[in-house]
Amino acid sequence: MVKNGDERRREEQTAKAQTRVPIHPDLAARWSPRMFDDAAQLTTEQLTAVLEAARWAATWGHRQPVRFLVGLRGDETFAAISELLKRGNSYAKAAGALVLVCADEGEDERTARYAAVDSGAAIAQLTIEAVSRRLIAHPMAGFNADGARETFGIPEGVRPIAVVAVGSLGDYDNAPQEIVERDAQGRGRLPLEEVAFGSGWGQPLPL
C-alpha cells in the first residue's frame, strides 16, 4: 500500500535507532533526511539554539577551534554556500539554514587532528539539538572547500570541514523520486560485536 505524505512523515519522524538498551530519545530519533520544507522558516531562537549546542561541545585542550559561517535561506551567505554544494546535495537549498563548519587546525598535525575531532563533536551536538526542537539536520561533505576559502576569505590554517543543512521536514508527496528512494533506504549500523572490542582487536566486548 502506498502511504500518503502525512503517513510517511509520521513514519520517518518516529523511526528509532534499534538499540539493545534504550538510549536518549533524541539520539535514537536522529537521522539525515533530504526532504526539507522550503516554506518553513527557521526562527532566530532555533538557529541560536543549534549554534549554542555546537559551541558547547567538548574541545581538546580548551582550544575551541571550531567556527561557523551561517546563512539563512534568502540571504547572500545562504546563496553563496548553496553554490558551493555538489549537485547531489542540491536538495539542501530548501533548508532553512546552511552552516559551514570550519576548524582552526593550529600549527602541527596533532592539533589539526583534534580540531577535526572537535568539529565532529560540534556537528553532533548541533544535530541533536535540532532533533530536540522538531527540526532536521543533514551534515554534508560534498561541497567545494577551496571555493569556500575564496568566497568567504577563510584564512590559511582554517579548514572547511562540512556544511550542515538545518530546517523542517518536508512532504514526501512533493519530493523528487530520487529523494524518496534515497530516504526510503532506512537506517542501519554495524552490530556492537563488530565495533566494540574487549580483550583484543576484533574480540567482541562481552555485553
Side-chain angles (χ1 to χ4, degrees):
M1 181 179 71
V2 177
K3 298 180 176 67
N4 63 36
D6 288 340
E7 290 172 333
R8 176 61 181 270
R9 183 181 298 207
R10 284 194 296 269
E11 179 181 270
E12 298 290 2
Q13 287 178 318
T14 58
K16 304 294 182 183
Q18 299 301 306
T19 58
R20 295 190 185 189
V21 298
I23 62 175
H24 193 286
D26 292 340
L27 290 169
R30 188 219 61 80
W31 67 301
S32 299
R34 298 172 178 83
M35 187 56 194
F36 287 88
D37 183 349
D38 61 4
Q41 299 295 321
L42 198 66
T43 68
T44 300
E45 179 179 346
Q46 290 170 329
L47 179 61
T48 302
V50 297
L51 293 172
E52 284 286 18
R55 181 171 74 97
W56 281 97
T59 178
W60 174 69
H62 203 63
R63 279 195 71 239
Q64 304 176 67
V66 187
R67 300 292 183 269
F68 310 97
L69 275 160
V70 184
L72 278 170
R73 189 176 63 242
D75 70 20
E76 292 183 359
T77 303
F78 186 98
I81 298 175
S82 294
E83 291 302 313
L84 298 169
L85 297 175
K86 294 188 177 178
R87 191 171 71 173
N89 290 330
S90 60
Y91 59 83
K93 295 180 181 181
L98 293 174
V99 181
L100 175 60
V101 181
C102 302
D104 179 345
E105 296 191 300
E107 299 179 354
D108 55 52
E109 188 273 336
R110 183 168 181 252
T111 304
R113 179 168 64 249
Y114 287 108
V117 172
D118 285 2
S119 298
I123 291 169
Q125 291 201 182
L126 185 157
T127 62
I128 298 305
E129 182 65 28
V131 171
S132 78
R133 292 173 177 270
R134 295 183 170 273
L135 300 170
I136 60 174
H138 194 126
M140 299 168 286
F143 72 101
N144 182 348
D146 290 336
R149 293 180 187 278
E150 181 177 350
T151 298
F152 295 110
I154 298 172
E156 284 295 322
V158 177
R159 181 181 179 185
I161 296 287
V163 174
V164 185
V166 183
S168 298
L169 188 65
D171 185 348
Y172 279 88
D173 277 352
N174 300 318
Q177 188 61 30
E178 178 187 357
I179 288 180
V180 173
E181 292 175 355
R182 292 173 74 182
D183 283 4
Q185 292 175 2
R187 305 173 62 196
R189 292 294 186 272
L190 294 172
L192 279 176
E193 289 84 357
E194 295 184 27
V195 299
F197 305 144
S199 58
W201 187 265
Q203 300 301 313
L205 182 67
L207 295 173

